[in-house]
Amino acid sequence: MMKSIPVWKQELSGGVHAARLASLYCCAPAETASEAARYTAVLDGLEKTFGSHAEAGLYSAPGRTEIGGNHTDHQHGRVLAGSVNIDMIAAAAPNDKNQLRVQSEGYDLCVIDLNDLEARKEEENTTAALLRGECAAFTQRGAKLAGLDIYISSNVPKGSGVSSSAAFEVLIGVILNDCFMAKKVSPIAIAQIGQWAENVYFGKPCGLMDQMASSVGNIITIDFASPAKPVVEPVAVDFSKAGLALCILDSGADHADLTDEYAAIPAECRAVAAVCGGEVLRDVPFETFLAKLPECRRQCGDRAVLRAFHVYADNDRVAKQVAALRDGDFDTFLCLVNESGRSSWEYLQNVIPAGYKEHQEVGVTIAAAKHLLGDKGAVRVHGGGFAGTVQAFVPVEMLDEFKAGMEAILGEGRCHVLSIRPEGGAVL
């Protein structure tokens, strides 16, 4: 929704949007001044970067936390995920240049000619590829694109496993949907568009879980048995009422240059599935996989076989986690989280990049968190793995001591205490 910039600023400073911001950021309306200031800042950034505009829109897309189903989505499996109360926000305004111009704080200006939306090999692994791909996808859905200036600010740490890339893709999708689609596409479609752009234009064979969690919002379980029509169900749960705090621990290792490690996991799982007569592991009954195990080992190698064992088990664990949460059985839920973490390290092998010795940041983070929690709570590798973050469910009475202990090891500000955000991609 476009509105004059002076009106936006007046409303933000006057608390007109306090209730809306309180919902997005999981706090009291009286505590939203800092969030309002962030939106005022992106309006200022828009004007400073691109010049004056008659009107602008304000938008948000959250980071996400994967709660269950580690690397199951690309095998058409089940996941449990939620949006969190850190996000990427933007101010967007029309321009007369027939270009999409995007300025993210701390990055170079990125400009896309809207007359040229074909994929470019030389653009792979760049922001331009994602923007061009999303514009192409919306055009295919009937969008009448026109020039647009976008200024973006984020408090979702890049490379941290809370999926800043998915938040970016969802944010751009929300903006394009709001500005150019007469018949709006659904949050699910926005997620699918982001994934398509990342797969086809950016060149990364990611699954759909990250984009879906950011776009749809709250806690959801997703069954990707039919990726074109994923089954999305809400899972009503309040971890704080169960006496649990959700912590995301930044290991300090970045995802940069690890694309090959991530790509190997779906590739190896698909290779195992192919030996068993399927395209992905969801196509292959577990009993068939077991019967074909010697052949899978010969053709795919033992690491691929172990990764398949993980995917089958974690896929089953998601259904058990959902049932436990719906029953209010948090002891069982925490046991399943710990089981998933062990399986990811031992079988999926996405905690330490192959050959790394001196740098095993995620492994150290998991070990430290387990030590501090003792037999309480739960710890697991979070998201894609290899770098980025670890997830911990911490009893509230232990939170202060746990946070202090982890930050003494990892560094100040490395333990993020988050809340589940009730809404995904949003138009303010």
Side-chain angles (χ1 to χ4, degrees):
M1 180 178 66
M2 294 286 173
K3 193 180 294 187
S4 83
I5 291 175
V7 169
W8 270 124
K9 289 183 178 180
Q10 184 178 18
E11 290 180 353
L12 287 164
S13 64
V16 172
H17 301 285
R20 177 85 168 113
L21 296 174
S23 176
L24 291 177
Y25 299 104
C26 308
C27 62
E31 299 171 333
T32 59
S34 61
E35 302 298 345
R38 291 177 66 216
Y39 285 94
T40 298
V42 293
L43 290 167
D44 289 339
L46 180 76
E47 299 283 85
K48 184 178 179 180
T49 304
F50 301 109
S52 62
H53 295 81
E55 58 182 9
L58 293 174
Y59 305 90
S60 162
R64 69 95 184 95
T65 182
E66 169 204 285
I67 300 168
N70 195 225
H71 279 279
T72 53
D73 56 342
H74 52 68
Q75 296 305 298
H76 300 184
R78 301 183 186 94
V79 299
L80 179 65
S83 56
V84 293
N85 59 333
I86 53 176
D87 66 345
M88 195 171 285
I89 65 172
N95 69 47
D96 58 3
K97 302 181 182 302
N98 202 40
Q99 294 176 334
L100 179 65
R101 303 191 297 183
V102 177
Q103 178 66 66
S104 295
E105 284 182 352
Y107 295 88
D108 294 334
L109 177 68
C110 190
V111 180
I112 298 297
D113 183 346
L114 296 176
N115 290 320
D116 179 13
L117 300 180
E118 293 296 317
R120 299 180 179 184
K121 185 70 177 175
E122 68 274 14
E123 271 186 359
E124 286 188 357
N125 294 301
T126 68
T127 300
L130 292 175
L131 295 174
R132 204 180 300 275
E134 292 207 54
C135 285
F138 273 97
T139 299
Q140 292 164 11
R141 287 162 173 79
K144 307 296 183 186
L145 300 182
L148 198 66
D149 293 332
I150 302 174
Y151 187 88
I152 296 173
S153 178
S154 175
N155 61 11
V156 181
K158 185 178 185 295
S160 70
V162 193
S163 206
S164 59
S165 59
F168 178 82
E169 292 161 18
V170 169
L171 182 65
I172 296 299
V174 169
I175 294 169
L176 297 178
N177 193 37
D178 183 59
C179 293
F180 302 120
M181 289 297 290
K183 184 178 180 182
K184 307 302 182 194
V185 302
S186 68
I188 290 174
I190 288 173
Q192 291 170 326
I193 286 168
Q195 183 208 23
W196 181 82
E198 192 164 345
N199 289 173
V200 177
Y201 278 65
F202 188 84
K204 181 178 178 179
C206 67
L208 185 57
M209 188 269 288
D210 293 352
Q211 296 88 345
M212 195 74 81
S214 176
S215 186
V216 176
N218 215 322
I219 297 180
I220 53 174
T221 183
I222 314 165
D223 190 333
F224 291 109
S226 173
K229 293 183 178 179
V231 178
V232 182
E233 297 179 7
V235 182
V237 60
D238 185 341
F239 289 118
S240 64
K241 290 182 179 177
L244 294 171
L246 169 62
C247 295
I248 300 298
L249 308 169
D250 184 351
S251 71
D254 196 281
H255 286 119
D257 303 322
L258 291 172
T259 296
D260 290 347
E261 292 278 6
Y262 298 116
I265 294 177
E268 290 179 12
C269 290
R270 284 175 176 265
V272 170
V275 171
C276 299
E279 181 181 346
V280 294
L281 292 175
R282 190 67 179 270
D283 298 336
V284 179
F286 184 64
E287 293 72 18
T288 302
F289 162 67
L290 288 178
K292 292 274 191 178
L293 204 56
E295 191 175 345
C296 290
R297 295 181 68 189
R298 282 195 303 272
Q299 294 194 32
C300 308
D302 284 349
R303 185 176 73 169
V305 167
L306 287 168
R307 284 174 163 171
F309 269 110
H310 163 82
V311 169
Y312 280 111
D314 232 32
N315 197 42
D316 289 342
R317 265 189 289 270
V318 169
K320 294 175 183 175
Q321 284 179 301
V322 171
L325 289 174
R326 286 176 171 162
D327 289 343
D329 183 356
F330 288 96
D331 288 340
T332 296
F333 168 75
L334 292 173
C335 286
L336 292 164
V337 172
N338 280 323
E339 283 181 18
S340 175
R342 285 193 296 272
S343 177
S344 291
W345 195 332
E346 295 173 5
Y347 295 167
L348 188 62
Q349 300 178 43
N350 70 329
V351 169
I352 299 167
Y356 279 44
K357 291 183 286 185
E358 289 81 9
H359 291 283
Q360 300 187 0
E361 292 92 340
V362 175
V364 170
T365 303
I366 291 171
K370 284 181 174 291
H371 169 71
L372 290 172
L373 286 174
D375 60 354
K376 308 291 185 184
V379 180
R380 68 193 283 272
V381 65
H382 184 240
F386 300 113
T389 55
V390 169
Q391 179 186 73
F393 287 95
V394 181
V396 171
E397 66 272 13
M398 300 177 68
L399 180 59
D400 290 344
E401 183 180 354
F402 177 83
K403 187 174 189 296
M406 290 307 303
E407 293 194 344
I409 295 165
L410 301 175
E412 190 174 348
R414 298 282 192 181
C415 178
H416 303 281
V417 183
L418 302 179
S419 297
I420 298 296
R421 167 166 148 161
E423 183 177 350
V427 180
L428 199 66

